[in-house]
């Protein structure tokens, strides 16, 4: 734990570089907890909170709550990947990542990262790429409705086109 008045730890250079590259190559990008960015991405939520940790805005939901955003796919023909920047210090929480109504993951963080930021990648199933309208995808973080149901604190999201790998 940091003492009062101490400076927040910066993410390791590899994490910062990975996120900077994702931000540059993204089809769409959102800063969670930032009012302007959320309004531009049709934020919706229930039992959801936002705040600032170490100079970064975040969003989370608790006990059956959720928050969601619409991201622009720009009609990409390649498969899509969602990159999520989480607060890595969160204890294991119970929630699901839902894309256009389809559950794609039950993320968990190990709370043992060397920095306060963790980047996780989630493949967007082709079947889930349609449903929010042409060129749009709805990303939803849904907290379980239990005593320990809560999403991880999300700092940002980036939607990227996945480059095919050579065989």
């Amino acid at each position: 734990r940091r003492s009062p008045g101490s400076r927040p730890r910066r993410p390791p250079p590899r994490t910062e570089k990975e996120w900077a590259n994702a931000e540059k190559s993204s089809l769409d990008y959102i800063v969670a907890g930032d009012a302007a960015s959320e309004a531009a991405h049709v934020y919706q939520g229930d039992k959801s909170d936002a705040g600032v940790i170490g100079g970064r805005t975040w969003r989370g939901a608790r006990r059956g709550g959720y928050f969601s955003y619409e991201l622009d796919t720009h009609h990409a023909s390649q498969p899509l990947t969602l990159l999520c920047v989480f607060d890595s210090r969160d204890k294991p929480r119970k929630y699901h990542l839902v894309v256009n109504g389809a559950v794609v993951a039950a993320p968990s963080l190990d709370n043992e990262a060397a920095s306060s930021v963790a980047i996780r990648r989630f493949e967007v199933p082709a079947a889930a790429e349609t449903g929010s309208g042409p060129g749009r995808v709805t990303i939803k973080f849904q907290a379980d409705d239990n005593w320990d149901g809560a999403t991880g604190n999300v700092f940002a999201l980036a939607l990227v086109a996945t480059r095919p790998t050579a065989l």
Side-chain angles (χ1 to χ4, degrees), residues 71-92:
L71 281 80
D72 191 343
T73 67
H74 294 278
H75 302 284
S77 58
Q78 303 101 323
L80 301 176
T81 300
L82 179 69
L83 277 72
C84 299
V85 181
F86 292 99
D87 182 348
S88 66
R89 298 167 296 186
D90 285 338
K91 62 182 177 182

Side-chain angles (χ1 to χ4, degrees), residues 83-167:
L83 277 72
C84 299
V85 181
F86 292 99
D87 182 348
S88 66
R89 298 167 296 186
D90 285 338
K91 62 182 177 182
R93 298 184 178 194
K94 308 282 187 192
Y95 65 104
H96 293 89
L97 175 62
V98 181
V99 178
N100 286 344
V103 175
V104 298
S108 66
L109 299 169
D110 59 17
N111 196 18
E112 296 176 11
S115 75
S116 61
V117 175
I119 299 175
R120 299 288 186 265
R121 295 174 176 268
F122 303 98
E123 292 181 21
V124 176
E129 290 179 26
T130 59
S132 291
R136 310 287 300 166
V137 64
T138 299
I139 307 297
K140 180 179 183 180
F141 293 84
Q142 175 70 57
D144 288 0
D145 196 12
N146 316 352
W147 66 271
D148 61 348
T151 66
N153 291 334
V154 177
F155 292 124
L157 307 171
L159 189 63
V160 298
T162 308
R163 293 188 176 99
T165 56
L167 298 176

Side-chain angles (χ1 to χ4, degrees), residues 41-83:
H41 291 88
V42 195
Y43 161 79
Q44 293 184 9
D46 181 46
K47 297 181 186 173
S48 178
D49 300 307
V52 178
I53 299 173
R56 297 177 190 267
T57 58
W58 60 269
R59 170 130 340 249
R62 63 195 179 301
R63 290 196 173 170
Y66 76 94
F67 60 97
S68 67
Y69 306 107
E70 286 187 17
L71 281 80
D72 191 343
T73 67
H74 294 278
H75 302 284
S77 58
Q78 303 101 323
L80 301 176
T81 300
L82 179 69
L83 277 72

